[in-house]
Amino acid sequence: MINLILFGPPGSGKGTQAEKIAESYGFLHISTGDLFRSEIKNKTTLGLEAQSYISRGALVPDSVTIGMLRKKLDEEGDFSGVIFDGFPRNILQAEALDEMLARRDQVISGLIALDVEEDEIVNRITERAKTSGRADDADEGIIRNRIAVYEKETAPVYAYYEEMGKAHKVEGKGDIHTIFTRLCNLIDSL
Ligand code: AMP
């Protein structure tokens, strides 16, 4: 069984690529961003709480995020391989994820980081805003804040898995298909 984390800054293409990988390898795709957006759409208490953080590009508190992920994994029951997209976003979440998997006798097989430069990701998110309808994509100040949060809180997660010999980098520049091929080559080698 393979459990992967697709990692990278906002706008690096994680969502698009995670969806393709899940389809191609038969993995369960879990995107915490998508889970939050669905809660917001359904106007749940969790959604209302999360919205105030998401709308300013901040991380939703760990207790809320980890609780939501735990519930999702419990609902899925037995799964054969997961690709996590947008989670973990800090060390505490990484430790919680490792613990949730350990209780199922599973581990993270690898973290794959999409390497993309900051100017490129701002351009991509601005472009995505035209069709995504995401308020957090439409304002450059919020985008820059999400990138700053990524650098400060999320980037250290790479080193956390690197210490275990599980972190990998893939060039995230290029067209969707080229990047997907690079990712598949790496996954097949794990
Ligand atoms: P994403 O779709 O992954 O870009 O996530 C959109 C927003 O949801 C982020 O900017 C955060 O506000 C929130 N979010 C998603 N995943 C997490 C997470 N693992 N921890 C905290 N907040 C998150």
Side-chain angles (χ1 to χ4, degrees):
M1 169 143 15
I2 296 188
N3 297 311
L4 298 172
I5 296 167
L6 195 57
F7 194 73
S12 57
K14 294 188 300 290
T16 306
Q17 296 294 342
E19 207 172 303
K20 286 173 74 65
I21 291 166
E23 195 186 317
S24 172
Y25 289 85
F27 296 155
L28 175 66
H29 173 198
I30 298 185
S31 154
T32 40
D34 285 350
L35 291 175
F36 283 132
R37 282 183 287 276
S38 153
E39 298 278 346
I40 290 169
K41 207 171 135 208
N42 294 327
K43 298 192 166 63
T44 65
T45 312
L46 191 153
L48 289 175
E49 186 179 357
Q51 189 164 29
S52 60
Y53 297 93
I54 294 175
S55 63
R56 55 192 157 89
L59 293 187
V60 178
D62 288 328
S63 56
V64 178
T65 307
I66 293 168
M68 180 178 72
L69 185 83
R70 184 169 277 130
K71 184 165 159 267
K72 172 75 180 163
L73 286 178
D74 287 345
E75 279 166 8
E76 292 295 335
D78 281 340
F79 43 82
S80 57
V82 186
I83 182 145
F84 294 97
D85 156 15
F87 187 96
R89 259 175 154 102
N90 60 29
I91 300 287
L92 198 112
Q93 292 183 11
E95 288 170 348
L97 177 62
D98 285 347
E99 178 231 296
M100 280 184 246
L101 291 176
R103 272 197 272 114
R104 294 171 162 81
D105 287 327
Q106 291 190 42
V107 289
I108 285 297
S109 322
L111 172 147
I112 307 176
L114 285 168
D115 221 3
V116 190
E117 284 165 16
E118 178 163 340
D119 284 346
E120 168 82 12
I121 61 186
V122 175
N123 286 340
R124 282 196 202 176
I125 296 177
T126 310
E127 197 52 40
R128 180 172 74 184
K130 293 178 188 163
T131 54
S132 71
R134 283 177 55 170
D136 63 340
D137 280 351
D139 178 304
E140 183 164 342
I142 296 173
I143 298 172
R144 297 269 177 205
N145 192 37
R146 286 159 64 200
I147 296 170
V149 168
Y150 171 82
E151 293 299 341
K152 186 164 173 265
E153 300 190 43
T154 307
V157 172
Y158 184 89
Y160 173 88
Y161 286 102
E162 193 176 31
E163 255 177 48
M164 301 179 203
K166 291 182 177 178
H168 309 270
K169 273 195 181 128
V170 162
E171 170 64 65
K173 218 171 163 179
D175 63 72
I176 290 175
H177 185 74
T178 308
I179 299 165
F180 180 59
T181 305
R182 285 183 201 132
L183 287 167
C184 291
N185 289 341
L186 175 65
I187 294 168
D188 293 342
S189 75
L190 290 178

